[in-house]
Amino acid sequence: MEVPAGLAGGSVSSATASQPTTVQITVLKAQNLKTLRSDVLLTLVRAEYNGAVLGDSSKVEVMPDGTADYNFTTSFECSPDGPNSLDVIAQKPLLLTVVEMGQKDKKKQEKTVPLGQAVVDLLPLMQGECSLKVSAPLYAVPASPSESPCLEAMGGLEVTVCTKEPLLSAKQFSSGSLLRVTLEAAYSVPEAFATESQQNYMACLQVPAAGEKDLPLLFKNGIVKVDGEKEPLPRPKNWPLGNILAPGALSIPNSCIIGGSYEDEDGELTKSEDREFRIQAESAKRIVWDMERRCYLDAAAVAVLQRRIAECRCWPVELCRVSTAPPGKGKAGKADKGDEAQISFHGVAYVNMLPLLCPGVKEIRGAFRVFSYQDSEVFEKTKSQHSIFQELRAHLNLIKEGLGTPSLSRPPPSKAQKEDKDSNRMLHNPSKIQLSDGTGGSENIRTRSVDGQQYTEAGTFLVMEIKLDKALVPKRLREELTRCIKEMIPSRPALPARTEGAKKVVEDYHKRVTSIAIAILSEYHERFGKQLSDHGAIDHETLEEQKRQLNYELNTSGKYFAFKEQLKYAVVKIVREKYLKTTAFETQEQLQAFLSELYVYLVEQMHIAVNQARRNLGDLGHDLTLDPGQLLSEEGASPAPPSRTTQEQLWLFAHEAEANKDYKLASLYHQQRIAQDRRNIQSWLDYGAFCLLHEDTTKAQECFQQALSVDLQHVQSLLLCGIGAVMLQHYEDAEVFFEDACCLEPSSIVAWTLSGLFYELQNNNIQAERNFREAKKLLQAQLSEERRISDASEGGKGKKDISPRTDPEEFLPEGVPDSSAEKLPEVVEPALACVTSKEETTALEAAPEAPSLGSGPQQPPCTIFMKAVEFLMKVNAVQFVHQALAHELLSPHGGPTCAYHLALAWTYLLQEDFPRCEECLCEAIRIDCTNPNVWAQKGHLCYLKGDFDKAKECYERVVSFVEDALDMHFVYLRLGSIYLEEREYGRAKQIYLLACDNSASCLTWLGVGIACYRLELLVEAEDALSEANALNNTNAEVWGYLALICLRGGRQLEAEQCYKYTVKVRVRSRSTNRWPRSLPCGVRGCGTGRSVSRRCPRSAEPPHSSSSPVGSVERGLDPLSPSPQLGLRDQALLREIRAAQRRFGFGDPSL
C-alpha cells in the first residue's frame, strides 16, 4: 500500500494546473497461458492503477497454443492536481491481472481465480514518449500460501500505452530531474529483531519539494533474514507495492542492484579495517527491502534540493519497528481500530548528500551507520525539528488495520475516502501514535532510547543508493574545457627558422643591401625618370646635381636614417658572427683598425650585392618601373642546418649544469633545445620544470602554456599548467586544467591524484575524496593486471638478486701502475653501517616489501600518492610533493616507507637542509639497505657537505649494485672527480668510461682524457679529449689539456692554437658564472659551437657562439681567489701551462 497522495503535501512538480491528459491502455493479447495452468479455458484481464480498478476485459477463451486475444482498452486521467499526478506516474506501475473464470453454477456464483500478474512501467511517458508497446512478463500467482512462489516469468501480455501529447513539455523535461532512492538492507541489526508477522520494519526520508512541505519516501515491509548466505549480486529492485499477488511481479524490469567494492562507496565503513566486519554482517541477521522509490523533481524542486544540500550536508533517514496487535475475534476487532501503533527501535542514519553537488555526480551509494534517534542530536546535524514519522501517523494506522492489500473482487476505497478517514481518525485520537518526540510518557521515552541504543551496540548500518537522472551541478563538456584553454592560451604564429653563421649573415647583408638599393632607385625614378626619357644620355654634371638633390631629399624626409637602421642589424651580425667580436676593444687604435677592415669588407660585399642585383634585373632602365619587391626572392628562410648536438645531449648537459649549480648555463642549454625545435613539447616542459626549481613560477607557467599550445590534448602539459596556476593562485584556471586532464585521459592515476590534491587545497574535501577514490580504483586494476601478467610470464622463476658485490676489484682496470688497485675501504659510518653480505641477504628477506622510488620495475610505487610524487619530483613541484607525502604518511597502504623517506630527503636536499636530509636517508637505509637510490642520494649529500671520504664510500656501494640508481651519471662524475683528486687515476679512468657508456657528455670524456693523461696514455687522452671537444668546444679545460698533449708531442703550432682557444674561452668566462669550489672537475661549457676533429685539433675553429649567458650565479666568490679562472681545478695543469708559456713564449705570462 502506497503513501496516500495527500501525505506529499502537493506534488513535487510545480507545474500549473492544466487540462488532464488521458493515458490510454490497450491489452492486446496474452501468450503462454497454458504454462500457468494447463487446464485453463476462460480468462479475463483486469487493469489496476494507483489502487483503483480501471476495468475488466470481456471473457475470452484460451486457444490451444495458450494465447488469448483480449483487445481490451481502458484509460485514466493524469493531471498535476488529481490523484494520478506526475509523482504517481513516476513511481507506480500499471498492474495487470489475468483471472481464470470458472463454470457458473446454479447455486453458486461464478468462481474467479487469479492466474498471473504483470506490471508495466509508465516512466517512459515522462521521458518524452507518447506511445510505448511492451511485452510484459506474466508471473504466476501461487495457488496457496504454502506453495513456493515462482519468480520466473511463465507467460506474457502485449500491452500498448499512449497519450495524445507528452506528459512533460520539452522545457519541463530539460529542466527537471528524476530522483531514485533505493534502500537495499540494514545489516548487523539488534538480536531483538524477529520474523514475526506483527512486526513491520520501516525506513523513511524526506525529499525537499518546491512547496512548503517535503515529500516523504516510505520504505516498509522489510523482511528479516536470519544468518545464512549473503544477498546475491546482481539482484532485482522491487516496486514499493503491497497489492501484488505474484511475488515475481514485484521486480522492476531492467533495474538491478549491482553492488561494488567497499572502497568505491560514498558512505561510511569504507576503510580496510571495516572490510571484515561488513563481510560478516552481510551474512548475519539483516532486514532486506531492495526497494526503489522514485520522485519527479521540476526545476523549482531541483533548485530547492540543491539549496538544502548546500545548507545542510547530512540528511536523516529514520528507521523503526512498528508493532501491531493481532485482530481480535468477533466484535472485539472493532475496538482494535482505536488502538495505537507501537513504534520501537527508533533510529536514524545520517546520509552525507554533499557529493551530489560535485560536478557531474549523479548518484551516491554507501553504508551509513544507524544511531539512536535523539531530537537534539538530529536537529544539530540535520536541522530537522521533528521526526518524519509524525507526518505519517495516519498511514501507520492504515498499516495496523491491514488495509494494505485490496481485494480482487471489489475496487478498493478511493483515495479521497482514505484521506478523509485518516484525517478523522487523527483528529479523534491525536495521541495514540507514540513517537520519540516527547508525545508519550517519560517511561516510554526511556524505553525507546534504550531500544535505539541497541543500533549503536550492534553496529547497525543501512546500505542505500540515491540517484538522479541529471547531475545537480553539470560537468563541463570536453568542448567547453578546450574552448576555455584556448582562450587562456592564444595561438601564436610559428616563428620563422633562423640560422646563424658567417655565411648566413653575409647572405642577409646582401639581401638588405639589395632591398635598400631598390628603394633608392625607386626614389630616383620618381624624381628624375621623366628626364631620362626626354634627354636620353645625361652628362656628368647633371648626374652630380641629381645625386645632390636625391641626398637632400633622403635626409630631409628621414628615409636615409630609416635605411641606415635597416642596415645596422645586418652589420652587427657580421661583426659578431664573421669577426667574432663580442667584447669591447682595449685601445682606440684596435678599434680604428677594426673599423677600417670592416669598412673595406662591407663595401666589397655591397658591390657584390649590387652587381648581383643588376644581373637579376637585366636592363636597369626598363626595370626601374617595376615594384622593388620583385627583385628579392619571395622564398622563405633556408632551413636550419642539422644540429651537431641532439636533444638528449642538450638535456644531459643542462642537468649537469643544474647539478653543479651553474644555472645560467643550464638555462642556456634548455633554450638551445627549444631553438632546435620550438614544437618539441618535452623541451618546453623541461625548461618550465627548471624554472620551477628556481621559483620563477611565472616563466615556468609560460613554458607550460607554450607546450600546451603545441598540443591542447597533451595531458602532462595540462597537469603542469594546473600546477603552475595553483602556484600563481589562479585557482579557476587550475581547475579547468585539472578537469580537462581527467576528462581527456580518465585512466591516468596521476591526473586524478593531482586533481584531488588541488581540490583539497580548495577545501573541497568531497570532490578530493572522489578523485582519490577514482585513482585508487585505477591503481588497483593496474596492479592486478601487472600481477596477472607477471604470474603468467615468470612462473616459478626466482627473484633477481640485488645484493651488492663485495669484491671491489671487479670494476678496476688491470695493470694500473699506481696505488689505484688498492682495496676499497669498508663503510664505517655508524649511520650507514649495514651488515655483511650474508647478513644483508637475510635482512632483505626479512624486511617488509616497501616501494623504492624509481628503483626499477621490480618495485614500482604502490600507492596513488607515491605515483604522484614520482611525477612531481621530475618537474620540481616541491609544494605538491609535500602535500602528497603528507597523504602517503597517513595512507593505510603507505606510511613511512623507504620511498617516502627518499622523496622527503630530496626536498630537503633542494632546500639545502642537510641535517634533516641526512635523518631521512638514514631512516630509508634502515628500511631498505639494498636500494641503490638511497645510497646515491646519501653520496650526493656527503659530497655537497664536503665529506668526500663518505661520499666515495656511498658511491662505491652504488656502483657495486647489480641494479643501477636513477642518477648513475652524476654518481660516476662525482666518484671519478674524487678519484682524480686522490690521484687514483686508474679507478678514475674506469669510472669515467662507465659514465661514457651510460650517457656520454663532454665532462665524461674529459674525465677519461685527464685520467689517461696522468697515466701517460697520451694517444688515448687525445682521443677522449677530441670526443669531449666534439660535444662542447667551449670548455676551457678541454682546450688546456689538448694544448699540453700537443706540447708533449712536439706540435707547437697546434698547441699555440689550442692555447688561444683556451684564452678565448677564459675571456668569455670572466663575464659569466663563477663556480663553487666543491664542483667536480670540468664543469663548464657554453653552447655547442663547432665540432673539431676527433683525433687531432689541427683543423679546429675557435668557438663563435654569441649567445653566452651574462652575469654571475654564484655570488660572493673572489675573482682573484685561487679558484681556477679557466675552469681548471687541477693546479698541476695550471703550472704546466705557465711553464709552457715561459718555454715557448706565447700567450699572456700573467695568466
Side-chain angles (χ1 to χ4, degrees):
M1 186 67 188
E2 292 303 309
V3 180
L7 293 177
S11 172
V12 179
S13 171
S14 61
T16 59
S18 60
Q19 294 295 328
T21 301
T22 302
V23 179
Q24 183 173 306
I25 302 142
T26 302
V27 182
L28 299 176
K29 65 178 181 179
Q31 296 177 342
N32 299 326
L33 292 180
K34 294 290 186 179
T35 58
L36 299 175
R37 187 171 299 174
S38 59
D39 58 348
V40 61
L41 298 177
L42 196 63
T43 62
L44 60 83
V45 61
R46 175 172 298 160
E48 302 177 53
Y49 190 73
N50 194 19
V53 176
L54 303 180
D56 295 345
S57 69
S58 59
K59 302 173 185 178
V60 177
E61 292 185 1
V62 179
M63 304 297 291
D65 59 354
T67 61
D69 296 327
Y70 296 111
N71 292 322
F72 165 62
T73 301
T74 185
S75 64
F76 66 87
E77 301 293 331
C78 174
S79 63
D81 300 328
N84 298 325
S85 63
L86 293 178
D87 297 328
V88 178
I89 298 291
Q91 65 181 339
K92 293 187 179 181
L94 173 68
L95 181 61
L96 302 173
T97 306
V98 177
V99 181
E100 180 184 10
M101 307 301 296
Q103 294 293 333
K104 187 175 181 180
D105 199 354
K106 293 181 180 180
K107 298 182 179 180
K108 297 181 181 179
Q109 294 182 351
E110 190 175 30
K111 183 179 180 182
T112 60
V113 178
L115 195 60
Q117 283 187 322
V119 292
V120 178
D121 192 357
L122 301 182
L123 186 61
L125 296 178
M126 299 182 60
Q127 297 173 336
E129 298 186 19
C130 294
S131 177
L132 64 147
K133 183 177 181 179
V134 296
S135 179
L138 191 61
Y139 297 91
V141 176
S144 63
S146 60
E147 182 181 346
S148 59
C150 180
L151 301 180
E152 295 183 1
M154 306 297 291
L157 291 176
E158 291 187 9
V159 184
T160 61
V161 183
C162 61
T163 59
K164 292 183 179 180
E165 57 185 14
L167 297 182
L168 292 175
S169 65
K171 182 179 180 180
Q172 289 176 318
F173 178 72
S174 61
S175 61
S177 185
L178 185 70
L179 176 66
R180 306 169 191 254
V181 180
T182 302
L183 181 61
E184 298 180 17
Y187 296 100
S188 188
V189 296
E191 291 295 331
F193 284 12
T195 58
E196 298 178 6
S197 58
Q198 291 80 20
Q199 309 293 341
N200 196 329
Y201 297 95
M202 301 183 186
C204 187
L205 76 158
Q206 296 186 109
V207 177
E212 296 181 357
K213 292 187 177 181
D214 293 343
L215 177 69
L217 299 181
L218 180 65
F219 299 86
K220 56 185 178 61
N221 299 328
I223 302 174
V224 178
K225 293 188 177 182
V226 296
D227 300 355
E229 296 183 359
K230 60 188 302 185
E231 298 297 316
L233 289 174
R235 62 183 185 272
K237 297 180 181 179
N238 297 328
W239 292 105
L241 300 177
N243 54 344
I244 292 289
L245 300 178
L250 274 175
S251 301
I252 303 177
N254 304 320
S255 184
C256 295
I257 297 173
I258 305 299
S261 63
Y262 303 141
E263 292 78 6
D264 296 338
E265 295 179 352
D266 300 282
E268 308 165 21
L269 302 173
T270 58
K271 299 180 180 179
S272 57
E273 54 266 25
D274 301 321
R275 181 178 182 84
E276 187 64 28
F277 166 70
R278 291 192 59 176
I279 292 176
Q280 294 178 0
E282 289 175 358
S283 301
K285 182 183 291 186
R286 57 200 180 274
I287 304 174
V288 180
W289 285 274
D290 289 343
M291 187 181 299
E292 178 185 273
R293 294 198 64 118
R294 303 167 179 170
C295 175
Y296 170 70
L297 306 176
D298 62 3
V302 170
V304 172
L305 176 64
Q306 188 171 353
R307 177 174 56 83
R308 292 277 190 89
I309 295 177
E311 292 174 353
C312 185
R313 66 172 61 185
C314 290
W315 285 18
V317 178
E318 297 185 34
L319 177 67
C320 73
R321 184 179 73 176
V322 179
S323 302
T324 58
K329 296 182 180 181
K331 297 181 180 180
K334 295 182 180 181
D336 294 337
K337 293 183 179 181
D339 293 342
E340 55 195 29
Q342 299 289 338
I343 292 183
S344 57
F345 293 95
H346 193 188
V348 61
Y350 301 102
V351 179
N352 187 1
M353 301 282 284
L354 198 59
L356 291 177
L357 295 185
C358 297
V361 176
K362 297 189 291 186
E363 64 177 301
I364 56 175
R365 180 184 181 275
F368 304 93
R369 293 185 180 274
V370 180
F371 303 92
S372 175
Y373 188 95
Q374 301 292 335
D375 289 334
S376 58
E377 183 180 355
V378 173
F379 178 76
E380 179 182 357
K381 292 185 177 181
T382 68
K383 308 304 179 185
S384 179
Q385 298 181 355
H386 55 267
S387 170
I388 306 175
F389 290 116
Q390 288 185 5
E391 304 291 336
L392 302 178
R393 292 177 179 179
H395 187 62
L396 296 178
N397 273 343
L398 291 178
I399 296 174
K400 171 185 175 293
E401 294 174 5
L403 301 179
T405 305
S407 172
L408 281 172
S409 59
R410 58 180 178 87
S414 66
K415 200 167 191 180
Q417 293 172 347
K418 288 183 183 179
E419 294 174 2
D420 295 339
K421 185 176 181 180
D422 297 339
S423 60
N424 291 334
R425 181 180 297 108
M426 292 173 61
L427 291 174
H428 288 87
N429 300 300
S431 62
K432 293 289 185 174
I433 306 300
Q434 295 186 2
L435 298 171
S436 61
D437 59 349
T439 57
S442 59
E443 185 67 27
N444 291 332
I445 295 176
R446 285 193 296 268
T447 302
R448 285 189 296 272
S449 177
V450 172
D451 290 344
Q453 189 64 29
Q454 295 187 34
Y455 287 125
T456 305
E457 297 173 354
T460 306
F461 60 92
L462 290 175
V463 177
M464 61 186 307
E465 177 189 68
I466 300 175
K467 184 175 182 180
L468 288 162
D469 276 3
K470 301 172 186 175
L472 294 178
V473 181
K475 187 176 182 179
R476 282 179 286 199
L477 299 177
R478 169 75 181 133
E479 293 76 11
E480 182 183 356
L481 294 171
T482 303
R483 179 178 54 80
C484 294
I485 291 176
K486 285 183 177 179
E487 293 176 355
M488 289 187 285
I489 306 176
S491 59
R492 300 177 177 88
L495 296 178
R498 298 178 61 185
T499 57
E500 303 299 332
K503 183 178 179 181
K504 177 63 173 60
V505 298
V506 172
E507 292 175 355
D508 291 343
Y509 176 73
H510 287 176
K511 291 181 179 181
R512 186 62 60 189
V513 168
T514 304
S515 174
I516 295 174
I518 292 298
I520 295 175
L521 288 174
S522 298
E523 290 289 335
Y524 179 83
H525 184 268
E526 291 179 3
R527 295 185 61 83
F528 310 111
K530 187 176 181 180
Q531 299 180 16
L532 291 175
S533 59
D534 293 342
H535 300 89
I538 302 177
D539 57 10
H540 178 71
E541 294 180 359
T542 304
L543 286 176
E544 288 295 328
E545 179 62 19
Q546 291 177 353
K547 177 181 177 182
R548 185 187 65 80
Q549 295 181 16
L550 182 60
N551 285 336
Y552 177 81
E553 177 64 24
L554 292 177
N555 279 279
T556 55
S557 63
K559 293 181 180 180
Y560 173 80
F561 297 98
F563 293 152
K564 187 175 67 173
E565 289 297 322
Q566 294 178 22
L567 200 59
K568 181 189 294 185
Y569 182 64
V571 175
V572 170
K573 288 200 298 183
I574 287 179
V575 173
R576 290 179 176 176
E577 302 297 329
K578 180 68 178 177
Y579 288 89
L580 305 177
K581 295 295 184 181
T582 58
T583 57
F585 293 92
E586 297 181 358
T587 63
Q588 188 69 19
E589 291 76 14
Q590 292 180 356
L591 175 61
Q592 292 299 328
F594 174 76
L595 291 179
S596 300
E597 180 184 356
L598 177 64
Y599 177 80
V600 173
Y601 180 80
L602 292 177
V603 171
E604 291 178 354
Q605 295 301 320
M606 180 191 68
H607 287 299
I608 294 174
V610 172
N611 290 334
Q612 181 65 33
R614 293 183 61 183
R615 287 193 294 269
N616 292 340
L617 287 172
D619 187 2
L620 274 177
H622 175 73
D623 283 333
L624 282 174
T625 60
L626 297 177
D627 180 36
Q630 295 179 0
L631 176 69
L632 300 178
S633 172
E634 297 296 333
E635 297 180 359
S638 59
S643 174
R644 298 180 183 274
T645 310
T646 64
Q647 290 275 333
E648 292 75 14
Q649 287 175 329
L650 287 174
W651 177 86
L652 180 61
F653 298 164
H655 275 254
E656 287 179 340
E658 286 181 39
N660 291 285
K661 299 184 179 180
D662 197 348
Y663 300 129
K664 290 286 185 180
L665 182 58
S667 177
L668 176 65
Y669 282 131
H670 283 296
Q671 293 172 13
Q672 288 180 349
R673 289 186 71 199
I674 294 173
Q676 283 189 4
D677 184 6
R678 295 186 64 86
R679 298 191 64 82
N680 188 322
I681 295 178
Q682 194 58 45
S683 299
W684 286 108
L685 297 183
D686 291 340
Y687 191 27
F690 168 77
C691 294
L692 279 185
L693 182 64
H694 308 293
E695 299 181 354
D696 191 352
T697 310
T698 302
K699 192 171 184 178
Q701 184 71 348
E702 292 177 0
C703 295
F704 297 150
Q705 291 185 354
Q706 282 282 0
L708 190 57
S709 65
V710 177
D711 183 6
L712 292 177
Q713 297 185 354
H714 193 257
V715 176
Q716 187 178 358
S717 300
L718 287 168
L719 294 176
L720 291 179
C721 283
I723 291 173
V726 170
M727 292 182 174
L728 294 173
Q729 298 183 358
H730 300 163
Y731 299 118
E732 293 183 0
D733 295 346
E735 184 176 7
V736 173
F737 288 126
F738 286 125
E739 188 176 347
D740 192 25
C742 296
C743 179
L744 184 64
E745 191 172 343
S747 61
S748 173
I749 299 173
V750 174
W752 286 106
T753 306
L754 293 183
S755 179
L757 293 175
F758 162 73
Y759 283 116
E760 187 179 58
L761 287 175
Q762 299 298 299
N763 293 324
N764 190 348
N765 297 325
I766 298 297
Q767 186 68 48
E769 286 301 323
R770 292 186 67 87
N771 289 13
F772 290 151
R773 187 165 63 245
E774 183 67 24
K776 292 175 182 177
K777 183 167 61 176
L778 293 172
L779 178 61
Q780 187 65 30
Q782 176 182 317
L783 295 178
S784 299
E785 181 66 16
E786 289 176 357
R787 283 194 296 266
R788 185 188 64 82
I789 296 176
S790 177
D791 294 342
S793 60
E794 294 183 2
K797 293 182 180 179
K799 294 185 178 179
K800 186 178 180 181
D801 182 19
I802 60 172
S803 59
R805 297 189 298 266
T806 56
D807 186 4
E809 297 183 0
E810 292 187 18
F811 61 91
L812 293 180
E814 298 180 0
V816 179
D818 57 12
S819 60
S820 60
E822 295 179 1
K823 202 169 184 179
L824 291 176
E826 298 294 333
V827 180
V828 296
E829 182 185 2
L832 301 180
C834 230
V835 279
T836 62
S837 177
K838 183 177 180 180
E839 292 171 339
E840 284 180 355
T841 306
T842 307
L844 176 63
E845 295 174 352
E849 185 176 356
S852 180
L853 196 63
S855 62
Q858 291 85 0
Q859 293 178 327
C862 62
T863 66
I864 61 171
F865 301 109
M866 290 312 299
K867 279 190 170 291
V869 166
E870 189 178 41
F871 170 81
L872 294 169
M873 289 174 62
K874 293 178 181 178
V875 298
N876 301 319
V878 181
Q879 174 185 347
F880 275 83
V881 169
H882 281 291
Q883 188 181 359
L885 288 178
H887 276 279
E888 174 68 13
L889 190 61
L890 300 176
S891 174
H893 300 289
T897 60
C898 178
Y900 168 83
H901 288 292
L902 187 58
L904 193 59
W906 173 82
T907 63
Y908 290 141
L909 195 63
L910 288 183
Q911 300 167 1
E912 297 186 354
D913 190 349
F914 296 149
R916 299 177 71 178
C917 178
E918 185 171 8
E919 291 178 5
C920 294
L921 291 176
C922 291
E923 189 65 22
I925 292 174
R926 184 191 65 80
I927 296 174
D928 185 3
C929 62
T930 59
N931 189 335
N933 291 294
V934 180
W935 290 104
Q937 195 84 296
K938 180 71 174 178
H940 297 331
L941 173 64
C942 296
Y943 189 90
L944 294 177
K945 290 169 60 178
D947 192 349
F948 298 113
D949 291 335
K950 291 182 180 179
K952 174 182 168 184
E953 295 171 0
C954 295
Y955 288 148
E956 287 171 345
R957 181 180 288 270
V958 174
V959 174
S960 67
F961 278 104
V962 174
E963 185 181 348
D964 288 338
L966 279 179
D967 55 349
M968 287 300 297
H969 183 79
F970 298 104
V971 171
Y972 289 140
L973 279 181
R974 288 174 170 171
L975 180 59
S977 69
I978 294 174
Y979 283 151
L980 287 179
E981 290 289 337
E982 297 179 353
R983 301 179 182 272
E984 299 183 38
Y985 301 122
R987 293 183 176 181
K989 175 187 175 183
Q990 188 68 15
I991 288 297
Y992 278 121
L993 284 175
L994 289 175
C996 293
D997 182 65
N998 181 66
S999 51
S1001 69
C1002 174
L1003 299 186
T1004 58
W1005 284 114
L1006 174 59
V1008 175
I1010 294 175
C1012 292
Y1013 178 79
R1014 297 305 174 193
L1015 292 172
E1016 302 292 332
L1017 304 175
L1018 299 184
V1019 176
E1020 295 182 19
E1022 186 174 355
D1023 288 340
L1025 293 171
S1026 298
E1027 290 286 345
N1029 210 349
L1031 293 173
N1032 181 11
N1033 68 346
T1034 60
N1035 189 299
E1037 199 164 358
V1038 175
W1039 289 111
Y1041 274 101
L1042 282 173
L1044 290 179
I1045 290 174
C1046 292
L1047 288 175
R1048 296 280 294 271
R1051 295 157 19 210
Q1052 182 177 350
L1053 181 61
E1054 296 177 15
E1056 184 174 354
Q1057 184 185 27
C1058 292
Y1059 173 78
K1060 290 180 179 179
Y1061 296 162
T1062 305
V1063 174
K1064 183 175 181 63
V1065 177
R1066 169 182 179 262
V1067 171
R1068 181 174 301 161
S1069 299
R1070 282 177 175 175
S1071 62
T1072 56
N1073 312 328
R1074 310 295 185 193
W1075 296 357
R1077 302 179 187 179
S1078 61
L1079 297 183
C1081 65
V1083 184
R1084 286 297 292 171
C1086 177
T1088 57
R1090 293 179 177 173
S1091 300
V1092 298
S1093 170
R1094 294 178 180 269
R1095 181 64 182 87
C1096 176
R1098 183 177 290 112
S1099 59
E1101 295 183 9
H1104 56 270
S1105 175
S1106 62
S1107 56
S1108 303
V1110 179
S1112 177
V1113 174
E1114 297 297 328
R1115 305 298 181 188
L1117 294 178
D1118 185 3
L1120 301 179
S1121 67
S1123 183
Q1125 295 295 314
L1126 298 179
L1128 312 177
R1129 297 181 70 251
D1130 197 330
Q1131 296 296 326
L1133 177 58
L1134 288 175
R1135 291 194 296 270
E1136 291 181 50
I1137 291 180
R1138 292 192 180 100
Q1141 290 172 332
R1142 291 190 294 270
R1143 177 180 177 185
F1144 294 99
F1146 63 82
D1148 184 4
S1150 64
L1151 177 64

